[in-house]
């Protein structure tokens, strides 16, 4: 069955006029309402004036960097962020993900690939499959897919959209081992990509749901195979 197109308000932040214009044009052609910014300062002002549904954010910006912009957004918002950068080293990819970016696309990139990533992130953020619509609980953890909220001991967890998707997927498939490649496909909807994205998101999730992230008991590593969610054990 063909999926209905998903559209939303997208803030595109890039100091390269050519890249910015091309990205905006492709997104607008797909039906998105697009706002453009050429610096971190402009991005923060545009976000405050009218919060978008998703941010496409260049890592290397003059003045306030993309990493700092992401930091500031994450203090008050879980808006999905797709980072763009010309830097290909793993340390820079991980830096963006550790700041709370949901996805990462390296320059040079295909504008069509980026628009597909945008649609994928928005689809997951705006819609919940019927089979996973009912609340899910595991001990002191409660996940409400319709409200896209996760509570730990009654307090809401500060999850990004992609962190929420990953947690919900793992909790609803307890005891099953998934490789990073499988998680990239099942949660991100990618059939290719940087698998370190999964590693960083698992690490960030552990910091939020584990009593001791260094000794995880819920999201465990199965060496040489992947990750498995173990329901809370009764002492």
């Amino acid at each position: 069955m063909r999926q209905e197109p998903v559209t939303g308000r997208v803030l595109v932040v890039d100091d390269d006029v050519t890249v910015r214009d091309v990205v905006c044009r492709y997104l607008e052609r797909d039906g998105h309402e697009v706002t453009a910014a050429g610096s971190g300062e402009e991005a923060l002002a545009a976000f405050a004036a009218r919060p978008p549904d998703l941010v496409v954010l260049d890592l290397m910006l003059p003045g306030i960097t993309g990493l700092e912009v992401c930091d500031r957004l994450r203090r008050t918002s879980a808006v999905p962020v797709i980072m763009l950068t010309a830097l290909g080293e793993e340390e820079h990819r991980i830096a963006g993900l550790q700041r709370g970016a949901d996805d990462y696309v390296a320059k040079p990139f295909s504008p069509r690939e980026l628009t597909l990533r945008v649609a994928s992130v928005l689809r997951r953020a705006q819609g919940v499959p019927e089979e996973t619509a009912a609340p899910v609980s595991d001990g002191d953890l409660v996940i409400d897919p319709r409200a896209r909220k996760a509570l730990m001991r009654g307090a809401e967890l500060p999850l990004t959209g992609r962190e929420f998707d990953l947690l919900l997927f793992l909790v609803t498939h307890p005891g099953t081992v998934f490789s990073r490649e499988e998680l990239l496909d099942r949660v991100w909807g990618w059939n290719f990509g940087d698998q370190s994205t999964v590693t960083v998101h698992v690490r960030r999730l552990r910091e939020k749901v584990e009593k001791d992230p260094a000794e995880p008991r819920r999201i465990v590593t199965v060496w040489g195979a992947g990750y498995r969610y173990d329901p809370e054990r009764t002492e």
Side-chain angles (χ1 to χ4, degrees), residues 30 42 70 108 126 129 142 151 159 162 182 187 193 198 201 224 230:
D30 278 4
E42 290 180 14
C70 193
Q126 296 176 4
V142 178
L151 306 177
L159 302 178
R162 193 64 82 185
E182 288 173 322
V187 178
V198 176
H201 277 78
D230 287 345

Side-chain angles (χ1 to χ4, degrees), residues 147-192:
R148 291 189 66 80
K149 292 183 179 179
L151 306 177
M152 179 71 76
R153 294 181 289 279
E156 185 175 348
L157 295 173
L159 302 178
T160 66
R162 193 64 82 185
E163 289 168 356
F164 179 88
D165 292 336
L166 178 58
L167 179 62
L168 177 62
F169 179 81
L170 291 172
V171 172
T172 53
H173 295 83
T176 303
V177 179
F178 293 97
S179 67
R180 294 191 301 170
E181 182 179 9
E182 288 173 322
L183 289 173
L184 205 59
D185 177 43
R186 302 284 294 276
V187 178
W188 274 256
W190 301 357
N191 54 19
F192 63 92

Side-chain angles (χ1 to χ4, degrees), residues 76-89:
T76 60
S77 173
V79 62
V81 175
I82 297 178
M83 277 201 159
L84 304 178
T85 180
L87 301 175
E89 294 85 352

Side-chain angles (χ1 to χ4, degrees), residues 56-59 82-87 93 103-111 113-115 117-118 190:
V56 176
L57 178 62
D58 185 30
L59 183 68
I82 297 178
M83 277 201 159
L84 304 178
T85 180
L87 301 175
R93 294 196 297 268
D103 286 342
Y104 177 99
V105 178
K107 296 179 181 178
F109 58 87
S110 159
E113 176 194 345
L114 176 60
T115 59
R117 294 275 183 95
V118 168
W190 301 357

